[in-house]
Amino acid sequence: MGFTIDDALVQTQQQYKLQLLAGENGCGNAISWVHLIEDTTIIRQLWDKELVITTGLGFQKEGSLLELVHSLVKFHSGGLVVNVGKYIMQVPQDVIDYCNEQDLPLIIIPWEIHLADVIKDYCMRCLYSEREDVHVSECFINAFSDSTTIEEGRIELMSSYDVDGDFQVLLISIDDSEISDPIEKRRISFQLQLYFERIECNYSCFWYNDYFVLVVNNLSQDSFIEIINKMYNRSKKRMNYKNLYFGVGSLVKDFRNVTTSYKRALAATKYAVLFNKNVAHFNDIGVYQVLLSVEDKDILFDSYYQLLKPIIAYDEKHHGELEKTLFYYFKYNGSLLMIADKMYTHRNTVHYRIEKIKKLLDCEFETMEEKFPYMLAFYIKDIVIDI
């Protein structure tokens, strides 16, 4: 879960006399490192998620501190600490308002506190938390990739997770997410983690198989849905150059079943990408629950092709549109008028095509039992073929 702004406030507020001025909604953000900055030049070189501290030496001109927070938001900083009392006596209201708007935690610390002590302390906490986070994420990754490691992972997590409790997995797919550069993956991961609201449970977040993964433990469905929606809305404000697709797995009981939630989240994410949905829940995607859970796509393609082979072959030979006609036949519940309007053709032509289809497939489409296999073929086509 990392060392967060909340952790810093709870654990060191009295020691360092910290005061939170703005950005309370971003206090759940984990900190990757701490930097002392007195101008904006170096900000573009930061990793993301850093906590920035400034004495204000380089930001005494009117508007310069606001320029700093604009840059911090642009480059996904985790928060800002202003050392007040010498160069900056009071943080301007427009800076406070902007930090609240962008959920960027803004903290002040009095001049008499030695910043070197603060920086060293927080960096050590970041290192320790990162080591713990890596260990936890490895337990989940091992469970996803190799079921024989589940019992071992369960034992490893007993000290920090309720392994008998509820687990749920969220996957996030990002445009151009097939990134091989680990540095870029880490940077994007930091950016995404900035958008977590205060998750009041144990959780782990990491990259796995080109998806960003969030696993939560003992979090209610309502709370999880709220977190996802807020995370999506915040990411659109600060990552609007990328499309994000969220896939939500089912809630499962016991760590032994966390792989089930992961696989279902994977199916939901594929659905979201396929149909350009921002958020997809596995429990809401109907027949695609089954189809997108099939790992062998050749089986799906063969099922589709064998069912529709006679009309596919006819269309290829005669440059016809029987397959498309059958698709609209199901979509518009057999209405020749609606099919004709959709395909810009005469009703009699549609009637002829339907009769041809029935003959080629040897099916009258009179009952649901007759229709269902061919309707399913078009669902499969959504998945395995670019329509």
Side-chain angles (χ1 to χ4, degrees):
M1 293 181 288
F3 177 60
T4 67
I5 301 290
D6 265 335
D7 293 332
L9 290 169
V10 171
Q11 298 169 18
T12 68
Q13 187 164 25
Q14 291 185 346
Q15 180 182 0
Y16 299 130
K17 300 181 181 179
L18 307 177
Q19 182 182 346
L20 179 68
L21 291 188
E24 183 178 2
N25 288 336
C27 287
N29 299 333
I31 304 166
S32 64
W33 202 244
V34 184
H35 291 284
L36 180 66
I37 288 179
E38 300 300 353
D39 64 64
T40 58
T41 306
I42 196 175
I43 292 177
R44 65 182 63 251
Q45 304 297 326
L46 300 185
W47 272 94
D48 298 329
K49 271 182 58 179
E50 286 95 344
L51 177 65
V52 169
I53 297 179
T54 183
T55 65
L57 174 62
F59 305 105
Q60 299 178 69
K61 293 182 180 179
E62 184 177 355
S64 60
L65 194 60
L66 181 61
E67 180 185 348
L68 171 63
V69 295
H70 274 276
S71 297
L72 295 182
V73 168
K74 179 179 180 181
F75 293 100
H76 309 283
S77 173
L80 172 65
V81 176
V82 180
N83 193 200
V84 295
K86 184 172 183 179
Y87 302 115
I88 293 180
M89 303 306 296
Q90 186 175 1
V91 177
Q93 187 61 45
D94 57 354
V95 172
I96 295 174
D97 292 341
Y98 184 73
C99 288
N100 277 324
E101 177 187 333
Q102 296 296 326
D103 298 328
L104 179 72
L106 172 62
I107 297 170
I108 57 173
I109 187 171
W111 184 256
E112 64 266 21
I113 299 298
H114 294 286
L115 295 185
D117 294 337
V118 178
I119 294 171
K120 180 181 178 181
D121 182 7
Y122 287 0
C123 285
M124 292 299 294
R125 293 172 190 261
C126 289
L127 286 173
Y128 178 79
S129 295
E130 183 177 3
R131 185 178 65 182
E132 291 297 307
D133 288 347
V134 169
H135 175 68
V136 169
S137 64
E138 286 175 349
C139 291
F140 285 111
I141 290 172
N142 290 339
F144 296 160
S145 59
D146 184 358
S147 60
T148 64
T149 67
I150 289 178
E151 289 302 323
E152 179 183 347
R154 197 172 188 276
I155 294 171
E156 291 285 332
L157 293 176
M158 276 184 177
S159 61
S160 54
Y161 281 75
D162 177 12
V163 294
D164 297 314
D166 295 332
F167 287 86
Q168 195 164 11
V169 178
L170 167 73
L171 295 186
I172 304 176
S173 176
I174 310 167
D175 278 358
D176 303 323
S177 64
E178 294 184 4
I179 301 168
S180 58
D181 183 1
I183 295 178
E184 182 62 17
K185 280 188 176 181
R186 187 179 183 189
R187 184 181 298 278
I188 295 175
S189 178
F190 283 168
Q191 292 174 13
L192 288 172
Q193 290 177 51
L194 284 172
Y195 310 128
F196 293 154
E197 294 297 323
R198 296 182 176 183
I199 303 179
E200 296 182 354
C201 72
N202 290 324
Y203 69 91
S204 180
C205 46
F206 49 89
W207 275 97
Y208 177 62
N209 277 357
D210 293 320
Y211 294 98
F212 181 81
V213 183
L214 171 65
V215 185
V216 295
N217 180 212
N218 287 343
L219 185 65
S220 71
Q221 286 287 278
D222 289 343
S223 296
F224 196 35
I225 292 171
E226 183 180 1
I227 286 168
I228 292 168
N229 291 336
K230 287 184 177 180
M231 183 179 177
Y232 176 77
N233 291 332
R234 289 182 67 194
S235 68
K236 293 302 290 182
K237 283 196 295 186
R238 294 178 65 177
M239 279 183 73
N240 55 10
Y241 59 93
K242 291 184 182 293
N243 288 323
L244 305 180
Y245 302 98
F246 292 63
V248 186
S250 302
L251 183 70
V252 296
K253 178 73 70 175
D254 200 297
F255 175 76
R256 294 185 180 96
N257 298 309
V258 72
T259 303
T260 298
S261 185
Y262 164 73
K263 290 181 177 179
R264 292 178 177 181
L266 182 60
T269 308
K270 291 178 179 177
Y271 177 91
V273 173
L274 183 64
F275 295 103
N276 197 29
K277 304 288 186 181
N278 296 332
V279 181
H281 296 256
F282 180 82
N283 294 343
D284 297 336
I285 62 176
V287 69
Y288 290 102
Q289 290 180 342
V290 177
L291 298 180
L292 288 166
S293 297
V294 176
E295 295 181 4
D296 188 346
K297 294 300 182 282
D298 288 339
I299 293 176
L300 293 176
F301 179 82
D302 290 343
S303 298
Y304 151 77
Y305 186 75
Q306 290 303 320
L307 280 165
L308 300 181
K309 182 177 178 180
I311 62 174
I312 292 173
Y314 182 92
D315 284 346
E316 290 177 349
K317 183 176 180 180
H318 300 282
H319 304 289
E321 292 187 309
L322 296 188
E323 185 181 3
K324 184 181 291 187
T325 302
L326 181 60
F327 170 78
Y328 287 123
Y329 178 81
F330 292 137
K331 182 174 183 178
Y332 297 118
N333 199 27
S335 170
L336 301 185
L337 187 61
M338 294 180 71
I339 299 170
D341 182 64
K342 182 66 178 181
M343 299 188 70
Y344 304 102
T345 190
H346 196 276
R347 180 177 177 178
N348 290 342
T349 302
V350 174
H351 176 74
Y352 168 80
R353 290 178 183 173
I354 295 298
E355 293 304 312
K356 187 69 175 179
I357 291 168
K358 290 179 179 179
K359 182 177 179 180
L360 288 171
L361 297 180
D362 191 23
C363 180
E364 292 298 318
F365 305 116
E366 292 181 350
T367 66
M368 179 54 66
E369 287 75 13
E370 288 181 318
K371 294 177 182 178
F372 180 75
Y374 299 100
M375 294 171 66
L376 187 62
F378 287 108
Y379 282 107
I380 294 173
K381 184 176 180 180
D382 285 342
I383 298 170
V384 298
I385 297 176
D386 293 330
I387 299 176

